[in-house]
Amino acid sequence: MLIPGGHYRLAFTHSILALSQLINAPTHYRLDYPDLALILALVRGGSLARAAQLLKVDVSTVFRAVRRLEAALGQQLFEKSRAGYLPTSLAQTLAEQAERAEQALDAARIGVEQGGEIISGTVRLTCTDSVLQGLLLPALAQFMPAYPALTLELSTSNDFANLSRRDADIALRLTRTPPEHLVGRCLAQVSYRVCGSTAYLETITEQELTALTWIAPDDFLPDHPTIAWRRQHWPGVVPGYRCNSMLSVTELVRAGLGVAALPDFLIGDGLQPLSDPLPGCDTALWLLTRPDCRALRSVVTLFDELGRALKLP
């Protein structure tokens, strides 16, 4: 998820307040990494038993360590309840700090193992939910394990505003004409076909497509090419279902509720094409970024990997 800048400032302010509380603690106790690891394990585990498993020690050791740390800090870190150990705001903030330290340590270890050749950092990627489900997730599963120090933030959206506002670094978009201020490459051509589920088609006797129940993205995607095509060729067809995304349209078709015009990459098991590629509905899959992002090694690496891994069925 992409986080607005104001939220970053708020999180930073909370971190500063938490650290100032520690600085002003009565004993001036100096936290070290084992302290942070203890707090993180108890926040993640939610109980002494689970934290002990994460730390590979016994429960009594965790209990004594937490009591000693709270005494040294002069502040309570956890509240015991029926639900387990609930972190205070201070413990939650310190756990976030601990997680960042853990990630930095992991990245350092990987760098040593790989001789210093390591790709790290955070890359923000935006795409539609249908592209995410149908194309991006299988591609990420192929190569992301090779980049354990690379963090990917995903956002689903149907426009180019994320890149234009600099809220994202890379975009995957279905379009015929990508914005001129972005750079990238065309990965594949995409066509649309009318489809229905095998189960739905077995229940109908009417062979005329116009007489079937239609599912469409009319309300939230008024400019979608399949809508323009249907209105031009079959203006009398009124969809029985309207959805706010093509992925939702696909799931309704898969559930046997009707037919819809779907992109080739979403036509999988259980769905049967009922037409040839629809004329005028073809588009292309584009991989795009901002010109200034080409100087970022993390962005370039992910961009190149996606260009190699994204294949249409």
Side-chain angles (χ1 to χ4, degrees):
M1 173 180 283
L2 301 184
I3 306 173
H7 288 191
Y8 280 120
R9 290 192 293 271
L10 183 59
F12 179 75
T13 300
H14 286 169
S15 298
I16 293 299
L17 289 175
L19 293 177
S20 66
Q21 288 177 319
L22 293 178
I23 293 172
N24 296 322
T27 58
H28 299 286
Y29 179 78
R30 299 180 67 87
L31 281 174
D32 56 19
Y33 186 75
D35 294 329
L36 292 177
L38 170 67
I39 295 170
L40 182 59
L42 197 46
V43 169
R44 285 174 171 172
S47 69
L48 293 175
R50 180 58 183 151
Q53 291 176 354
L54 294 174
L55 295 171
K56 295 181 173 56
V57 298
D58 57 60
V59 173
S60 61
T61 298
V62 176
F63 177 76
R64 290 193 301 270
V66 172
R67 293 289 297 272
R68 282 197 300 266
L69 183 57
E70 289 182 329
L73 296 176
Q75 298 186 63
Q76 185 176 7
L77 294 173
F78 295 91
E79 297 176 0
K80 189 175 181 181
S81 70
R82 292 182 179 178
Y85 274 66
L86 302 179
T88 63
S89 58
L90 174 59
Q92 190 65 52
T93 300
L94 291 175
E96 293 170 4
Q97 302 276 355
E99 197 162 46
R100 286 193 284 272
E102 180 183 66
Q103 292 169 353
L105 184 58
D106 287 341
R109 288 170 176 162
I110 294 168
V112 172
E113 293 170 1
Q114 299 181 358
E117 292 296 326
I118 181 172
I119 305 298
S120 62
T122 299
V123 179
R124 300 163 300 171
L125 188 152
T126 178
C127 64
T128 64
D129 55 359
S130 59
V131 170
L132 174 68
Q133 186 70 28
L135 296 174
L136 180 59
L137 293 183
L140 293 179
Q142 293 180 33
F143 65 81
M144 280 302 287
Y147 300 97
L150 186 63
T151 300
L152 184 59
E153 293 183 355
L154 294 171
S155 172
T156 53
S157 169
N158 290 302
D159 58 36
F160 291 100
N162 286 344
L163 276 177
S164 301
R165 293 194 307 263
R166 298 176 179 268
D167 290 339
D169 306 309
I170 295 176
L172 279 167
R173 286 289 181 260
L174 293 173
T175 181
R176 296 176 185 172
T177 55
E180 294 183 359
H181 66 280
L182 301 178
V183 295
R185 66 182 74 159
C186 180
L187 299 180
Q189 298 298 316
V190 178
S191 61
Y192 287 78
R193 302 168 189 262
V194 178
C195 299
S197 71
T198 303
Y200 174 75
L201 298 177
E202 290 175 350
T203 66
I204 61 175
T205 57
E206 179 60 60
Q207 298 301 312
E208 184 64 37
L209 289 179
T210 56
L212 303 181
T213 301
W214 276 76
I215 305 164
D218 281 353
D219 292 341
F220 292 88
L221 299 171
D223 299 324
H224 199 275
T226 62
I227 296 174
W229 171 85
R230 194 192 71 246
R231 289 174 174 169
Q232 178 183 356
H233 293 274
W234 293 334
V237 170
V238 178
Y241 300 91
R242 290 184 172 89
C243 305
N244 63 355
S245 75
M246 284 305 297
L247 184 60
S248 299
V249 170
T250 305
E251 291 307 311
L252 265 68
V253 174
R254 196 180 305 279
L257 296 176
V259 299
L262 301 177
D264 287 339
F265 62 85
L266 288 180
I267 303 174
D269 294 339
L271 297 183
Q272 180 177 330
L274 302 178
S275 74
D276 294 328
L278 303 179
C281 287
D282 56 299
T283 186
L285 177 66
W286 281 84
L287 178 63
L288 300 163
T289 188
R290 304 191 314 271
D292 59 289
C293 286
R294 291 183 294 182
L296 301 175
R297 190 180 179 195
S298 56
V299 173
V300 172
T301 298
L302 182 60
F303 191 93
D304 290 342
E305 287 284 10
L306 287 171
R308 287 188 289 268
L310 283 170
K311 305 293 183 182
L312 293 189

